[in-house]
Amino acid sequence: MTNHKAGFVSIIGNPNVGKSTLMNALVGEKLSIITPKAQTTRHRIRGIISDDEFQIVFSDTPGVLKSHYKLHEAMMDFVNESLEDADIVLYLVELHETPENHSFIDLIRDIKTPVLLVINKADLAKDEELITAEKLWKEAVPAAQIIMISALQGLNLGKLMQTIIDLLPESPPFFPKEEMTDRPLRFFVAETIREKIFMHYRKEIPYSTTVVVESYKEEDSIDRIRALIFVERETQKAILLGHKGESIRKIGIEARQEIEEFLNKQVYLELTVKVSKDWRNNPAMLKRYGYM
């Protein structure tokens, strides 16, 4: 295809800086779950935009963090993989963050791939704050092009998209034009359930939990889904279930409603909570749950 452009764009940054919000806004569909808690994203999730003249393959990645579990190591592997095949790196920072708080700053400074340093929440700042932030990051990453945006409000997203398109290499598309992601439907069902757990539980419960879709049966009028929720300890299972199962029932209702809206179809969702002791440090379990 003559003059067609295509490339991979890796979105990276510290935990909880709005990477998922940005990718969802750029793609125009909720592909990555969003919660107020840090480290919500655990996988590399691709969002694909295709046009007659270009294709952009975004990668939403886990936040850059220090590894305390084997799970964290696996999450950082997803970040590194996305950087290895990236044609463009989109490095997202919050308005009042400083380079000293970014453990990946040396890598970004030395990387040969084109870097767009994107400062989020620009809508909340005064002009002098924007000038100060731009100067600070330009000194830290001289080769990067800096763009001020608001992922939530859509500020300057058109400018960001055009900048990405201009930087894309000439290439045929990597995915069929109608595809919006490379992840299967089961993945998004599991992520939706996990999002509701993040929204309703505090402390260690969300971080000790993972979700696996055990069965998915499509019928003409309804999809029947059975999902397993794994936690690390019996005490966590009891908290997740709640008194007489009330808590897990609420999670199930909210997840089912969102899945039905996504599918535009009725869904029967069955949730079962099981204990998988210390799964975050068990390579065999991490592989089984799709992290390796």
Side-chain angles (χ1 to χ4, degrees), residues 9-20 22-23 37-43 59-66 75-76 78-80 82-83 88-94 97-99 101-108 111 115-120 137 141:
V9 179
S10 176
I11 307 175
I12 69 169
N14 278 353
N16 211 23
V17 294
K19 293 183 281 67
S20 298
L22 177 58
M23 189 181 80
K37 295 182 176 67
Q39 300 176 28
T40 301
T41 302
R42 289 179 178 168
H43 297 82
S59 288
D60 183 20
T61 61
V64 177
L65 47 78
K66 294 181 180 179
M75 289 162 62
M76 290 312 303
F78 290 135
V79 176
N80 292 325
S82 77
L83 287 173
I88 303 165
V89 173
L90 196 161
Y91 195 77
L92 188 65
V93 303
E94 295 273 300
E97 285 187 297
T98 62
N101 296 327
H102 282 249
S103 58
F104 257 38
I105 194 70
D106 289 336
L107 175 62
I108 296 304
I111 202 168
V115 175
L116 299 178
L117 198 145
V118 180
I119 302 177
N120 195 20
W137 284 102
V141 193

Side-chain angles (χ1 to χ4, degrees), residues 19 21 34 43 70 79 85 98 104 114 123 132 156 170 200 205 239 242 255 259 273 290:
K19 293 183 281 67
T21 301
I34 300 170
H43 297 82
K70 293 290 185 184
V79 176
D85 63 26
T98 62
F104 257 38
D123 58 314
T132 300
N156 278 344
E170 288 195 11
H200 284 285
I205 296 296
I239 294 170
I259 295 165
V273 182

Side-chain angles (χ1 to χ4, degrees), residues 206-226:
Y207 300 103
S208 302
T209 303
T210 194
V211 181
V212 175
V213 175
E214 186 180 44
S215 66
Y216 193 122
K217 297 180 180 178
E218 296 185 47
E219 300 178 7
D220 291 339
S221 59
I222 191 170
D223 285 3
R224 300 184 183 277
I225 304 168
R226 173 177 163 80

